[in-house]
Amino acid sequence: MNDLIIGMAGSGGDGIVSAGESLISALAREGYYAILTKSFGSQIRGGESSCRLRVATAPVLNPGGTLSVAVVLNWEDFLKFGGELPVGPDTVVIYEKKTGVAPADIPLKIKPSVVMAVPMSEMAMKAAKTLQAKNNVVIGLLAGWFGFGRQAILEGIRRKFGKKGEDVLAGNEQAFAAGFEYAEQNPIGTDKRMSPPAGSGGKRIVTDGNEVCAQAALFAGCKFFGGYPITPATEIMQHLQKDIWKHGGSLLQAEDEIAGIAAAVGATYAGKKSMTATSGPGFSLKAEVLGLASVSELPLVVVNVQRGGPSTGIPTKPEQADLFAAAFSAHGDTVRPILAPISVEDMYGVTVEAFNISEEFQTPVVVLSDQEIAQRKDIIDPVDTSKFKLVDRLAPTAQELEPYVRFRFTESGISPISHPGMKGGSYLAAGIEHNESGAPTSSGEMHARMNEKRLHKMDALKNRRDLFVIEGDADAPLGLIAWGSIAGVALEAVRAARAQGLKVKVLIPKLVYPVVEEVYQDFFASVQHGLVVEQSHQGQLHRIIRMWTNVPRKFTALARSGANPITPADVLAQITQISQTLAASPALVPTA
Amino acid sequence: MSSTTADCGCPPAAPVETYTAKDFRSTLKPIWCPGCGDYGVVTGLYRALASIGRPPHEIAFVSGIGCSSRIPGYTTAYGFNTVHGRALPIAQGIKMANPDLLVLVAGGDGDGFSIGGGHVPHAIRRNLDLTYIVMDNHIYGLTKGQLSPTTPRGAKTSTSSYGSIEEPVNPLLYVLAYGCGFVAQAIPSDMDGMTKVIEEAIRYPGFSFVNIQSPCVTFGDPEDQAKVQKAKMKKLSDLGHDPANRLRAMELAQTYGTDLYTGVFYRNPNPPQTYDHYIRERQEALRPKQAAA
Ligand SMILES: Cc1ncc(C[n+]2csc(CCOP(=O)(O)OP(=O)(O)O)c2C)c(N)n1
Ligand code: SF4
């Protein structure tokens, strides 16, 4: 096998998530790629917890659908995760013998082909005299059955428990060995073993979208962060507070989200690249100050790690339903570019790009990440930063300072910007409408011209075709559009469909807003049928695209509320169905 | 005007004192109502800034929204007329991004103690070296005469036709209770006194607060106008008040709304380190060590 999906669930004390983390680190060292997602019950600590680990020999696009392996520490907890841990007829089910359930009686609607009751607790007690070692028994079982390298896992155990004393270390090593031996003695078939990775892991790293975002921000030159803790965005601040000082910057945990973005606006006014990060409820609070940044033409990066909404919603689950809020937050005629990463790794480039666009166009840029990308762990290759160029805001020349006209009308709409401390550059920045030199005005004519300036300067974004991923048959009558963490799902489905000989293509906008009409029109030229695949009940991306472009009549949406995973199999099923419809009505011609 | 300070990034060289009030007056003509107290405030500020001697381009002057919040535009400093109630966090971001700047914050009583009230304690406890001037007219001027957080109980305004039934905020007591290191009050009709406390506030190394009772001639109480204020004013210095005495300052501040004390209520005799100081210290400590040449 070269693609394996493991799902595990238990109670908080079972160490299931920690088993997933240990495994993914070992797999990275061995040279595999993987995605680890974690999911918890509503209790902050101690409730039921689960994780999914998808391992492959090639980069993994998404956490996948039906499990190849289900590890059940107790049935009650496992079943609570429902659709997040789907079991199919081919799933290998391994469960704790202590649950007392006979293999024929397991509480699943499907009868999987392989079901094993393993005395995990007993093995842990015997090997390490503590139930805490259960997770290493589980790792041993998985390594034994699926052929993950023993060496890398043992190294990990040594690193993790080495400091906790000889006894603890030995106990955990023995727990692992017990699991491994149990697997060897109770084989489930060699066809289940993972193929070896192509090469060694080298410098490959295990990281998540929030960490990558923080690193990319520092690389891009971020010198100030203002924010307020909120799930699932907090880790961005937690990472930055360690490192931003080393780059000569500073960070403020503000009294609320308004103060967080306000301080960031102050810092960018003072000439420093700055950012804030939040999630839905905080994003709603920031709206007014976002408008201030737009009208005073200040560069700023605002990350919104989307979670289930409205209001408190589901803080720990992903959703893609903040697109309207991001595009239309804050009143007035304005455009704030929105970028969305499609994977953990992509968060790097997207964050750098967000700083670049904000600096170039002197505008706030919203990065719409989501809970999955922010908090799942991916194995990625080290980011090659040499491919990025960094952009700084346009500074006035000496000549332009005599006298300085901050909001001067220029061909591009972009005017040189000074900052406090720069001699000769003093000006009044304001939320109030102003003329070229910054003086307040209520003239309708000036307002129209300034609106035009602020909107027109974004036109250059239309040339950024590099911010769109297009894959598949250029002349396909069937197209998909997807964004954010769902993009990887759509991509996999399209690849699978094409492998079956279906003609299909996919468009993935990383620049989600403004809607670049030309890109969509070109894409739609061959398309009769299709879907926007997104995790939003209303299908917000579908609706926003329709506001600006002529979408083919049969281009609809596979739109699902957040916290309801969309799997590659779901999308593939739709592609297959649409392809059949298309085949049955060959007379259809593309709409002009 | 001539200055020997660096073009940017400061830090301020000892100013070769050559600034006059005029150097801080911009070409924008104020649009306040004739007689508005805010004219006096901006004049006092020009004078105070002239004595401080920092060049205008090294000053960032932040305000919220309100009649009073127009003030930055009337100076030659870098001005930022932001949104209602958020001047303090924006000013803190500026100061954190560039601690070498002289950062001033101003606005109305509504801006500072109503919509922006939640930011005041945090600005004070963080203690960045900022000066916060509230032009307290006990009314909402810009929106034409509604209740403000400092409107006295019983006052009839355009949103309290039958008289206010709520207790006003006491700005002086508030900031003293929050731990503000420098607290003063002034009236524009005592130009010299006001100029002096503004200057002292700017010189105080830490967060400083000046409440200026600045009359609103258009919507304010007739009993709250320049002439009455001048007659009512009692200088704290004449009372022999020791500004190092915080408890006495709080006692005197209790009388806000009845007595009109001007001057310095409290100046911390041992100013603690500022937040800006800790920022520099942390940046310095964590700066990657340069490889030896
Ligand atoms: C978010 C928001 N809410 C309300 C307003 C309307 N508004 C502008 S200024 C103001 C109050 C002005 O009073 P104050 O802050 O005391 O300043 P003054 O005009 O008296 O100097 C109000 C309510 C606004 N601009 N923004
Ligand atoms: S309304 Fe009052 S506060 Fe506003 S400018 Fe006129 S007098 Fe001054």
Side-chain angles (χ1 to χ4, degrees):
Chain A
M1 286 219 278
N2 51 22
D3 188 357
L4 183 79
I5 305 173
I6 304 166
M8 309 192 252
S11 68
D14 288 334
I16 237 33
V17 170
S18 132
E21 285 170 344
S22 302
L23 260 179
I24 197 170
S25 307
L27 292 166
R29 282 195 295 278
E30 269 199 84
Y32 287 106
Y33 289 95
I35 290 179
L36 174 72
T37 53
K38 310 168 208 173
S39 181
F40 303 92
S42 41
Q43 230 166 293
I44 306 287
R45 261 185 208 280
E48 67 276 13
S49 58
S50 73
C51 67
R52 295 173 56 101
L53 178 67
R54 185 177 187 185
V55 194
T57 45
V60 184
L61 289 169
N62 61 68
T66 305
L67 302 180
S68 325
V69 190
V71 180
V72 183
L73 289 230
N74 74 69
W75 285 104
E76 200 185 321
D77 287 332
F78 184 85
L79 293 173
K80 278 185 192 149
F81 291 98
E84 291 178 60
L85 300 174
V87 176
D90 297 331
T91 308
V92 174
V93 175
I94 300 161
Y95 71 99
E96 165 68 82
K97 194 167 185 183
K98 213 174 73 181
T99 56
V101 181
D105 298 335
I106 55 168
L108 293 173
K109 289 190 196 91
I110 287 167
K111 291 285 152 240
S113 50
V114 184
V115 180
M116 310 271 276
V118 184
M120 303 177 206
S121 300
E122 202 187 302
M123 286 158 71
M125 285 308 288
K126 206 165 141 199
K129 297 179 190 60
T130 164
L131 286 176
Q132 283 185 358
K134 233 192 302 186
N135 54 3
N136 280 317
V137 172
V138 170
I139 295 174
L141 290 167
L142 294 171
W145 273 319
F146 301 102
F148 306 142
R150 207 189 160 108
Q151 212 41 46
I153 293 171
L154 280 171
E155 252 172 54
I157 291 178
R158 231 164 282 139
R159 208 167 310 166
K160 192 163 163 190
F161 296 101
K163 286 192 218 89
K164 298 191 177 164
E166 271 306 310
D167 286 358
V168 180
L169 175 61
N172 281 287
E173 282 172 341
Q174 279 156 28
F176 171 78
F180 199 89
E181 278 155 30
Y182 185 96
E184 284 186 328
Q185 285 156 15
N186 301 274
I188 57 169
T190 45
D191 58 322
K192 301 274 191 301
R193 290 180 83 80
M194 271 307 273
S195 328
S200 87
K203 291 205 160 68
R204 229 167 263 171
I205 43 179
V206 178
T207 186
D208 57 55
N210 279 344
E211 185 177 29
V212 168
C213 176
Q215 288 168 347
L218 293 174
F219 171 77
C222 176
K223 293 284 186 282
F224 184 84
F225 179 95
Y228 189 79
I230 185 167
T231 304
T234 309
E235 294 87 347
I236 296 176
M237 172 159 56
Q238 287 173 346
H239 286 294
L240 281 172
Q241 62 84 27
K242 284 193 213 128
D243 293 333
I244 199 166
W245 315 94
K246 301 175 191 163
H247 296 251
S250 56
L251 176 141
L252 180 71
Q253 180 180 327
E255 55 271 29
D256 56 37
E257 281 90 347
I258 302 175
I261 189 173
V265 162
T268 181
Y269 171 72
K272 300 286 164 66
K273 292 186 184 178
S274 66
M275 85 187 279
T276 184
T278 188
S279 187
F283 190 77
S284 297
L285 283 176
K286 291 178 192 293
E288 188 193 13
V289 180
L290 264 178
L292 174 67
S294 288
V295 79
S296 49
E297 301 194 50
L298 290 170
L300 176 70
V301 173
V302 180
V303 180
N304 176 358
V305 182
Q306 298 170 98
R307 61 191 226 184
S311 189
T312 304
I314 309 181
T316 52
K317 300 278 164 76
E319 189 162 65
Q320 298 182 300
D322 289 2
L323 181 55
F324 285 174
F328 308 132
S329 59
H331 53 284
D333 269 325
T334 188
V335 165
R336 272 177 291 280
I338 300 172
L339 296 177
I342 61 172
S343 68
V344 168
E345 185 175 16
D346 193 42
M347 188 70 191
Y348 203 102
V350 160
T351 304
V352 171
E353 195 58 69
F355 275 97
N356 284 351
I357 291 177
S358 78
E359 290 285 317
E360 178 172 355
F361 298 98
Q362 300 179 19
T363 176
V365 172
V366 178
V367 176
L368 280 183
S369 175
D370 62 48
Q371 185 274 335
E372 186 188 302
I373 285 179
Q375 295 190 323
R376 81 182 193 204
K377 298 264 182 215
D378 281 22
I379 297 177
I380 65 170
D381 290 301
V383 180
D384 170 18
T385 53
S386 68
K387 65 184 175 204
F388 300 117
K389 92 180 189 329
L390 298 183
V391 177
D392 286 309
R393 58 193 78 178
L394 184 66
T397 60
Q399 209 178 8
E400 282 162 343
L401 288 172
E402 292 176 359
Y404 179 56
V405 179
R406 163 66 185 104
F407 301 101
R408 190 188 287 286
F409 293 123
T410 60
E411 207 172 308
S412 63
I414 297 163
S415 338
I417 179 169
S418 65
H419 59 80
M422 186 184 281
K423 200 171 175 186
S426 298
Y427 73 100
L428 178 67
I432 201 163
E433 190 56 282
H434 42 256
N435 64 15
E436 283 183 272
S437 63
T441 177
S442 51
S443 143
E445 190 199 331
M446 186 52 74
H447 179 47
R449 290 189 70 190
M450 278 295 166
N451 267 337
E452 180 54 29
K453 170 191 195 295
R454 291 186 292 255
L455 290 167
H456 162 66
K457 69 180 177 180
M458 308 290 182
D459 286 349
L461 282 172
K462 293 198 173 127
N463 304 323
R464 295 299 308 272
R465 291 197 178 231
D466 60 311
L467 296 173
F468 295 81
V469 176
I470 299 178
E471 194 176 302
D473 307 288
D475 58 345
L478 167 50
L480 297 185
I481 297 177
W483 68 293
S485 59
I486 297 297
V489 176
L491 210 50
E492 182 171 326
V494 164
R495 285 178 191 172
R498 295 184 70 221
Q500 294 173 15
L502 300 177
K503 241 180 154 182
V504 55
K505 62 180 176 178
V506 60
L507 168 65
I508 296 165
K510 295 190 202 180
L511 174 63
V512 186
Y513 191 80
V515 173
V516 183
E517 295 159 50
E518 295 81 351
V519 170
Y520 291 92
Q521 294 310 349
D522 290 354
F523 182 76
F524 287 139
S526 69
V527 169
Q528 296 165 14
H529 260 269
L531 288 172
V532 180
V533 186
E534 54 181 320
Q535 218 172 27
S536 136
H537 200 89
Q538 294 181 93
Q540 296 189 359
L541 180 62
H542 186 228
R543 285 169 193 270
I544 279 197
I545 296 170
R546 277 158 69 198
M547 283 179 76
W548 274 272
T549 61
N550 292 320
V551 174
R553 205 166 43 83
K554 295 197 168 161
F555 204 90
T556 56
L558 167 54
R560 208 173 268 178
S561 284
N564 292 283
I566 300 177
T567 66
D570 296 339
V571 181
L572 183 58
Q574 298 262 352
I575 295 175
T576 313
Q577 202 188 343
I578 298 174
S579 298
Q580 282 161 2
T581 315
L582 280 166
S585 53
L588 269 183
V589 283
T591 43
Chain B
M1 150 177 91
S2 79
S3 144
T4 56
T5 41
D7 175 57
C8 182
C10 319
V16 181
E17 206 293 291
T18 42
Y19 290 97
T20 67
K22 260 202 341 247
D23 293 322
F24 295 92
R25 179 185 301 150
S26 77
T27 51
L28 269 188
K29 204 171 146 313
I31 55 166
W32 290 311
C33 309
C36 175
D38 296 348
Y39 283 101
V41 179
V42 77
T43 305
L45 186 65
Y46 297 146
R47 293 184 189 181
L49 289 175
S51 344
I52 296 286
R54 291 284 297 269
H57 72 270
E58 291 178 7
I59 303 170
F61 191 2
V62 188
S63 67
I65 292 288
C67 295
S68 42
S69 288
R70 293 197 172 112
I71 194 166
Y74 305 141
T75 72
T76 50
Y78 274 85
F80 199 173
N81 187 180
T82 67
V83 287
H84 200 26
R86 314 299 164 200
L88 277 177
I90 289 173
Q92 290 171 79
I94 295 174
K95 186 74 179 174
M96 286 182 71
N98 184 356
D100 295 329
L101 298 169
L102 166 57
V103 183
L104 306 173
V105 194
D109 40 286
D111 196 74
F113 289 100
S114 194
I115 190 166
H119 302 304
V120 176
H122 303 286
I124 290 174
R125 74 184 171 84
R126 276 183 207 118
N127 193 36
L128 276 111
D129 186 7
L130 308 173
T131 295
Y132 183 32
I133 298 169
V134 168
M135 287 123 103
D136 176 10
N137 56 12
H138 315 130
I139 195 83
Y140 281 10
L142 190 77
T143 45
K144 302 189 193 296
Q146 299 80 23
L147 270 183
S148 103
T150 57
T151 305
R153 184 183 274 278
K156 292 183 175 147
T157 71
S158 69
T159 47
S160 62
S161 296
Y162 308 106
S164 165
I165 49 174
E166 58 188 46
E167 205 51 36
V169 148
N170 180 332
L172 300 167
L173 206 52
Y174 248 46
V175 300
L176 280 166
Y178 292 144
C180 187
F182 183 98
V183 181
Q185 184 161 254
I187 53 172
S189 46
D190 170 28
M191 182 58 70
D192 289 346
M194 182 182 70
T195 303
K196 197 162 155 263
V197 294
I198 294 175
E199 188 187 331
E200 272 188 68
I202 295 172
R203 290 195 193 280
Y204 177 78
F207 188 93
S208 54
F209 172 74
V210 184
N211 198 60
I212 302 183
Q213 299 221 7
S214 174
C216 172
V217 292
T218 309
F219 302 105
D221 187 337
E223 284 307 299
D224 215 11
Q225 301 303 319
K227 270 213 180 104
V228 187
Q229 279 187 348
K230 192 135 195 209
K232 256 178 90 177
M233 166 177 95
K234 288 184 243 175
K235 290 191 173 180
L236 290 168
S237 51
D238 292 348
L239 295 182
H241 170 60
D242 171 13
N245 188 339
R246 183 156 174 258
L247 286 179
R248 179 67 187 139
M250 290 179 99
E251 217 171 296
L252 290 161
Q254 298 270 13
T255 66
Y256 172 87
T258 47
D259 293 334
L260 181 50
Y261 290 115
T262 60
V264 181
F265 281 77
Y266 180 62
R267 185 194 304 103
N268 189 337
N270 302 301
Q273 285 295 7
T274 59
Y275 196 94
D276 359 334
H277 165 85
Y278 291 117
I279 288 176
R280 288 181 208 261
E281 195 178 76
R282 184 161 298 176
Q283 286 168 340
E284 196 53 46
L286 294 174
R287 193 202 315 267
K289 299 284 169 282
Q290 226 84 52

